Amino acid sequence: MNKKKLGTSVVSGLVVMGLLAGCGAGAGTDQKKETEGAATGKTTELRFYTFGTEGNYNWQKTVAAYQEKNPNIKVNVIGLSEKGDTQEALKKLDLAAASGEAMDVLMFSDPAAYAQRVSLGMVAPIDEYIAKDGYKVSEDYKVDTMLNGKYYALPGKFNPWYVILNKTALDAAGLAVPKDWTWDEFMDYAKKLTKGEGNTKVYGTYFHGPQNGGWLDYAKLAMENQKENPEFIKADGTSNLDSPLFKKSLELRMKMEKEDKSATPYADMLSQKLNYRTQFFNQKAAMILTGSWMNTELGGTEQVPLNFNVAIAPYPKNNAADPSGYTQVTTDYMSVAANSKNKEESYKFIRWLTTEGALIQGKNVPSWNKVKAEDLSKITDAILSGTKNPEKVDKASLNTVLANSKASAIVPPVSYQAEVYKAVNEEFEKMILGKQDIDAAVKASQDRVKGIIDSNKK
């Protein structure tokens, strides 16, 4: 890989790895001390580094429950950002690792942060503990965290993408809340829900991207409901833009905006700096495709009140015969630090935290597959109770979608991901603004991404 192409975070991480390697010389002595301590019945302290705030994760209550069940364990929660800012937290985590601070449990917010720090040696594999417990991550959890054939994390919260619907508008149009649908059906709904003209027009849907190299989910809509390789780069590092689903994603966007006129124009999104929350809650769009981090806002907030009924539909499929539920998912990656002197205790804590502990925490929908329907209902009740009008939300449709959603396999992010996103974004923009057709956009994207991959090869 061309060194000039490495991101700042990866470079700093390489420094961290070197420092961690230097700190490992006394591991044998430390292990001996740990064994002696355990024999005398001393309390083991686990140092848990997290970006998660008390308000968002209920740490005090959760940790207290674990310590009551395990009186020989003391969990010291080390908050890395008072605002829950993941970038700030990562910088502090890297600095802590570089300075040789003792670490046991690490929490990452996205696959890029997780994969990079695994590759830099900051995270320990946990396969031996999983094997000892006798379960399969792919069966016990909705998110499979495997990287390069090994497990370095267990998944925490489960935030799949879904479609938020203006149920009042659906009822007026005589449309049922979809329980399983295709992109063709999504487009048909959008046409039927579009009404009015000019400033009073209500569009069937609004897509919040891509823009400025971000929100690229909206340039690969038909790719992200696949079990494997939902990204622009495949798991083997080659380009995925020759997939017919990439072209289908572009065709879908063009048809809805240019032909059906059922999607808010991309040019309006950019020029007016539109936001998906206000477009939906102000009833400028009847459906929005977004992530279930919106659970906490579904019933409306002080800033964006809710004046109609809301329902939830699953992420659309490409074909009716395709398996249901696959979608992009955000989660928390709960890991054991490579330099931890308490690896088994740390593993036991993250296993509890991502199973029974998640129910006690009660702040997020867990990735754990063994969550019972009544437990899920209690969690969503608690989440919706923090909104202004929870009674306007069709909770049954929300729970059904959350229970049946499944995560696509993780594609380890490449260090030049931002370059790929920028290239695809630029070619998409030329297409949607009428400067090139779909075939030209596909070809230009393929050529540019291949060039980026080639230039970054070792």
Side-chain angles (χ1 to χ4, degrees):
M1 186 181 293
N2 188 332
K3 291 181 181 179
K4 290 187 292 183
K5 300 292 185 181
L6 285 170
T8 304
S9 62
V10 180
V11 174
S12 64
L14 288 168
V15 176
V16 170
M17 184 173 68
L19 287 166
L20 287 175
C23 293
T29 304
D30 291 334
Q31 187 64 47
K32 182 179 179 183
K33 289 179 180 178
E34 178 191 346
T35 304
E36 290 171 352
T40 58
K42 291 182 179 179
T43 297
T44 298
E45 179 184 352
L46 300 181
R47 292 172 59 82
F48 173 27
Y49 287 74
T50 176
F51 63 84
T53 62
E54 174 63 26
N56 289 335
Y57 285 89
N58 226 350
W59 292 130
Q60 289 185 24
K61 174 186 174 183
T62 308
V63 166
Y66 187 73
Q67 291 178 165
E68 184 177 354
K69 190 174 181 180
N70 300 274
N72 62 321
I73 301 292
K74 181 180 184 301
V75 180
N76 182 13
V77 178
I78 300 167
L80 296 169
S81 173
E82 292 182 0
K83 307 184 296 292
D85 184 321
T86 56
Q87 293 307 307
E88 176 191 11
L90 278 174
K91 289 176 182 177
K92 288 183 178 179
L93 179 66
D94 286 348
L95 286 172
S99 65
E101 287 186 23
M103 295 178 166
D104 296 295
V105 177
L106 309 177
M107 180 176 172
F108 304 107
S109 66
D110 63 84
Y114 165 54
Q116 283 180 353
R117 280 148 191 84
V118 166
S119 69
L120 295 169
M122 283 180 64
V123 186
I126 54 176
D127 301 78
E128 63 176 294
Y129 305 117
I130 293 170
K132 187 177 178 181
D133 276 356
Y135 67 91
K136 293 183 178 179
V137 172
S138 59
E139 294 176 359
D140 252 33
Y141 296 92
K142 292 178 181 290
V143 180
D144 193 347
T145 53
M146 179 177 283
L147 281 177
N148 304 318
K150 291 185 178 182
Y151 287 102
Y152 296 87
L154 295 178
K157 69 186 178 189
F158 182 69
N159 278 348
W161 277 51
Y162 53 25
V163 180
I164 308 178
L165 309 162
N166 182 325
K167 189 173 185 300
T168 301
L170 257 68
D171 291 344
L175 298 171
V177 175
K179 295 181 179 178
D180 191 33
W181 58 343
T182 64
W183 280 117
D184 286 341
E185 290 169 316
F186 177 89
M187 289 191 285
D188 183 57
Y189 266 55
K191 282 196 292 184
K192 291 175 178 176
L193 291 167
T194 300
K195 61 181 183 179
E197 295 294 336
N199 292 333
T200 61
K201 182 169 183 175
V202 177
Y203 287 94
T205 196
Y206 166 80
F207 296 114
H208 193 57
Q211 51 178 303
N212 302 316
W215 295 99
L216 265 292
D217 309 273
Y218 295 103
K220 51 188 172 79
L221 295 172
M223 301 171 73
E224 296 209 296
N225 52 21
Q226 299 301 292
K227 184 177 181 180
E228 303 288 340
N229 289 317
E231 258 289 356
F232 297 130
I233 304 293
K234 294 180 184 177
D236 63 6
T238 60
S239 172
N240 196 25
L241 296 189
D242 58 349
S243 166
L245 298 181
F246 174 57
K247 183 176 181 180
K248 178 174 180 174
S249 300
L250 302 188
E251 290 173 335
L252 187 154
R253 291 294 304 271
M254 287 289 280
K255 184 178 189 302
M256 294 190 74
E257 178 174 331
K258 307 300 183 183
E259 185 180 329
D260 297 346
K261 301 189 185 304
S262 61
T264 306
Y266 183 82
D268 290 357
M269 185 266 287
L270 292 181
S271 63
Q272 298 174 33
K273 298 181 179 179
L274 301 178
N275 181 274
Y276 61 96
R277 288 176 174 87
T278 49
Q279 287 302 106
F280 181 72
F281 287 108
N282 290 342
Q283 301 191 69
K284 294 294 185 181
M287 305 187 295
I288 58 168
L289 182 74
T290 189
S292 56
W293 57 78
M294 285 296 292
N295 289 346
T296 57
E297 301 176 45
L298 288 178
T301 62
E302 289 283 358
Q303 294 78 18
V304 190
L306 176 65
N307 299 307
F308 52 92
N309 294 325
V310 165
I312 303 298
Y315 195 96
K317 304 186 298 186
N318 296 320
N319 304 293
D322 290 348
S324 301
Y326 281 106
T327 177
Q328 61 268 52
V329 167
T330 57
T331 189
D332 294 324
Y333 298 85
M334 311 301 303
S335 298
V336 175
N339 70 344
S340 171
K341 302 177 186 121
N342 310 295
K343 288 186 175 65
E344 186 168 4
E345 292 87 348
S346 297
Y347 162 77
K348 288 179 178 178
F349 175 62
I350 65 171
R351 172 62 172 165
W352 177 86
L353 189 59
T354 57
T355 55
E356 301 166 52
L359 303 181
I360 292 171
Q361 194 173 45
K363 282 288 187 177
N364 297 289
V365 174
S367 293
W368 191 33
N369 265 326
K370 295 184 181 178
V371 175
K372 297 176 183 177
E374 57 267 30
D375 291 326
L376 178 60
S377 183
K378 288 176 185 175
I379 292 171
T380 53
D381 274 345
I383 293 171
L384 292 174
S385 68
T387 65
K388 297 294 290 182
N389 294 103
E391 74 283 354
K392 291 183 179 294
V393 179
D394 180 354
K395 204 184 76 168
S397 66
L398 171 63
N399 287 341
T400 298
V401 169
L402 293 176
N404 294 324
S405 294
K406 298 183 283 288
S408 302
I410 292 177
V411 178
V414 291
S415 62
Y416 47 88
Q417 194 108 325
E419 291 180 69
V420 171
Y421 280 3
K422 182 175 182 289
V424 175
N425 194 156
E426 288 173 354
E427 298 307 325
F428 173 91
E429 201 158 284
K430 290 176 190 174
M431 177 197 73
I432 205 78
L433 297 178
K435 297 176 182 177
Q436 66 181 351
D437 63 20
I438 293 172
D439 288 334
V442 170
K443 180 69 165 59
S445 298
Q446 290 172 338
D447 291 346
R448 290 185 66 181
V449 169
K450 184 179 184 302
I452 292 168
I453 293 171
D454 290 345
S455 69
N456 278 276
K457 285 180 180 177
K458 291 181 180 179

